[in-house]
Amino acid sequence: MLQVPFIREHKTEVIERLAKRNIDAEKMIEEVIALDEKRRSTQSELDNTLAESNSISKEIGGLFKSGKVEEANALKAKTGTLKEASKTLAETLNTTANDLKELLYQIPNVPHASVPQGNSEDDNEEVFKEGEIPELHGNALPHWELAKKYDIIDFELGNKVTGAGFPVYKGKGAKLQRALITYFLDKNTEAGYTEYQLPLLVNEDSGIGTGQLPDKEGQMYHVTEDNLYLIPTAEVPGTNIFRDVVLNESDLPIGITGYTPCFRREAGSYGAHVRGLNRLHQFDKVEIIRVEHPSKSYDALDGMVNHVKDILKELKLPYRILRLCGGDTSFASALTYDFEVYSTAQERWLEISSVSNFETFQANRLKLRFKNNEGKNELAHTLNGSSLALPRVLAGILENYQTEEGIVIPEVLRSYTGFDIIK
């Protein structure tokens, strides 16, 4: 959530930067400022009314002690009027504050200055590419056909048990999935991230804290009876560890990692581009999350990007990095880099990670602060990234490592799988 003082002081800049998202925010920003002015003036009027009421109450006490009953009773009538006025002002203040908060919830984060203007993924900017695209044999197959041929992922069984988008991993497919999870966690903990096992259900406050609510409620599975939500990513429970927390500056930086299944309704996703593992309702992901000092968060973002690059180098998968344009950047992010692996069998790029800096946007919602060296509370910066999302990484391995003899396992994973080929 944007901070009101920032909006007031940088009104023109906020409007211009939100235009990168193809949003004409002028009316909303003007309304924010108007509501804030109303809130401030109402608060001032309420404070003055309460102060006058308290002062008169003390005066009444003195008059009664002095035996001036008639004068005291006359003032008592005035305090009654002031109490009614203060009650009305308090109600107006609460309504205005709530209206302001609800409006702020609707405004996305302002993009970083480096974010390119654009409407969709077609306008994203490629900033890095690495790895050789393999030449496959003439009978190469897409991963959903490979999964069936080698009996390692059963999409039809998942459809029977639950529905489309809930695959069942079997045999060496399940073991390869588990190997990837353990490998990712080991890489993250070796890099200094502390591993957490996190809840798969979160409450409404947690969804609001990281920006999934009220923006993306239609994409989340909602357990209505208990008003809980299945997590769309470990970012939500992981970042909410720090909700309503005041850290010391010496506590920063903080890095955590965790593996969780993730659940997304993905409403309206159809077509050949979402076949197999390309888009699922339930999938596994290992996440990295950082809480940083504002002056160091963009260095931390670069470090997270390099960390994911190192993993993909070890897996020897061809990949590229995109800086997302304003129209493709998520609601809460200030700057996002997407990693994409090239699927040789599908002849297309598959997104396998997003690494983002949210600056103070989430921290403001979470009330995540740290006490700086001057003893003042300051909002921290939050960052997160997939390290990595498994479905499309697995799809990339199956497709790019297929041979006439079978699917070769990347060398770095063989100590985890215990086998070097799926035949």
Side-chain angles (χ1 to χ4, degrees):
M1 185 165 65
L2 297 180
Q3 300 174 71
V4 175
F6 179 81
I7 291 174
R8 293 180 66 92
E9 293 169 22
H10 305 276
K11 172 185 157 184
T12 301
E13 180 188 352
V14 169
I15 292 169
E16 289 175 351
R17 287 168 68 182
L18 286 173
K20 286 189 174 185
R21 292 182 176 272
N22 308 303
I23 296 172
D24 184 355
E26 184 172 1
K27 184 178 178 182
M28 283 194 297
I29 297 305
E30 292 287 4
E31 190 175 349
V32 165
I33 293 171
L35 282 170
D36 184 51
E37 287 176 351
K38 182 179 179 182
R39 180 191 63 80
R40 287 152 56 125
S41 64
T42 304
Q43 181 70 67
S44 178
E45 191 176 351
L46 176 60
D47 291 344
N48 291 336
T49 302
L50 290 172
E52 185 180 359
S53 180
N54 290 335
S55 176
I56 291 173
S57 294
K58 291 178 183 178
E59 188 177 348
I60 289 171
L63 290 171
F64 273 123
K65 285 181 182 179
S66 303
K68 299 177 180 178
V69 176
E70 190 173 333
E71 291 181 41
N73 286 333
L75 285 178
K76 280 181 72 177
K78 187 173 182 180
T79 60
T81 302
L82 289 171
K83 284 180 181 178
E84 284 298 318
S86 62
K87 181 181 177 182
T88 300
L89 286 167
E91 290 172 353
T92 300
L93 181 62
N94 288 335
T95 299
T96 304
N98 285 332
D99 288 347
L100 177 58
K101 182 174 71 173
E102 291 302 317
L103 180 58
L104 288 169
Y105 281 158
Q106 297 173 36
I107 302 173
N109 201 356
V110 292
H112 186 263
S114 66
V115 172
Q117 182 86 33
N119 299 315
S120 68
E121 60 184 24
D122 295 333
D123 300 311
N124 294 336
E125 179 180 84
E126 184 180 296
V127 295
F128 188 81
K129 184 188 286 186
E130 188 171 55
E132 293 294 324
I133 295 174
E135 290 187 14
L136 301 181
H137 59 86
N139 297 317
L141 299 170
H143 70 268
W144 54 86
E145 296 292 346
L146 292 168
K148 188 173 183 178
K149 177 180 178 179
Y150 294 104
D151 195 27
I152 53 176
I153 308 171
D154 196 324
F155 295 100
E156 292 179 5
L157 183 56
N159 191 35
K160 171 188 172 182
V161 173
T162 308
F166 295 87
V168 174
Y169 299 84
K170 301 165 61 178
K172 287 186 175 180
K175 196 159 188 180
L176 178 55
Q177 182 88 337
R178 178 157 51 90
L180 280 166
I181 293 166
T182 306
Y183 165 65
F184 292 154
L185 287 171
D186 284 352
K187 290 294 293 183
N188 296 344
T189 54
E190 287 167 11
Y193 292 89
T194 301
E195 183 178 351
Y196 279 68
Q197 287 190 348
L198 298 162
L200 306 185
L201 288 152
V202 292
N203 56 34
E204 189 173 12
D205 286 343
S206 293
I208 290 171
T210 46
Q212 278 70 32
L213 298 175
D215 179 54
K216 292 187 177 66
E217 62 266 38
Q219 292 294 341
M220 297 173 71
Y221 286 100
H222 188 197
V223 183
T224 54
E225 187 172 344
D226 300 304
N227 195 29
L228 296 174
Y229 293 85
L230 286 167
I231 62 168
T233 165
E235 168 200 349
V236 182
T239 310
N240 272 277
I241 290 170
F242 306 100
R243 174 155 46 93
D244 296 319
V245 169
V246 179
L247 301 164
N248 293 314
E249 187 166 346
S250 59
D251 295 328
L252 302 176
I254 296 172
I256 72 171
T257 185
Y259 152 69
T260 65
C262 304
F263 305 88
R264 297 183 187 178
R265 294 184 62 240
E266 296 288 5
S269 296
Y270 306 101
H273 68 290
V274 297
R275 287 193 66 181
L277 298 172
N278 287 349
R279 188 161 297 172
L280 301 175
H281 294 303
Q282 177 183 326
F283 61 94
D284 292 322
K285 183 153 70 82
V286 176
E287 195 82 356
I288 50 176
I289 297 165
R290 298 191 70 83
V291 180
E292 288 280 349
H293 191 284
S295 66
K296 298 177 180 178
S297 69
Y298 278 97
D299 288 339
L301 181 66
D302 291 341
M304 293 169 76
V305 167
N306 288 330
H307 176 68
V308 177
K309 284 168 68 173
D310 287 343
I311 292 174
L312 291 170
K313 284 179 186 177
E314 289 191 354
L315 289 172
K316 296 181 180 177
L317 289 170
Y319 71 96
R320 67 178 183 176
I321 304 174
L322 305 176
R323 182 188 286 117
L324 297 193
C325 70
D328 203 31
T329 301
S330 72
F331 183 86
S333 175
L335 175 60
T336 295
Y337 292 104
D338 267 7
F339 283 75
E340 296 183 338
V341 161
Y342 190 75
S343 161
T344 308
Q346 296 180 65
E347 297 183 338
R348 59 189 291 259
W349 293 96
L350 305 175
E351 180 198 332
I352 47 93
S353 175
S354 289
V355 181
S356 302
N357 189 346
F358 304 98
E359 297 185 355
T360 61
F361 191 85
Q362 289 182 334
N364 193 29
R365 290 177 171 227
L366 295 162
K367 295 183 173 61
L368 164 55
R369 296 150 292 175
F370 68 94
K371 196 173 292 293
N372 63 27
N373 291 330
E374 297 175 357
K376 296 179 181 179
N377 287 345
E378 188 177 342
L379 289 172
H381 279 194
T382 61
L383 305 90
N384 81 335
S386 310
S387 181
L388 290 159
L390 272 78
R392 294 171 185 170
V393 172
L394 185 57
I397 290 172
L398 296 180
E399 294 179 358
N400 291 338
Y401 276 86
Q402 63 180 302
T403 68
E404 296 273 19
E405 291 73 37
I407 300 166
V408 176
I409 301 302
E411 188 174 350
V412 73
L413 295 178
R414 293 175 189 175
S415 62
Y416 293 94
T417 60
F419 53 87
D420 58 12
I421 192 168
I422 298 173
K423 293 186 176 181

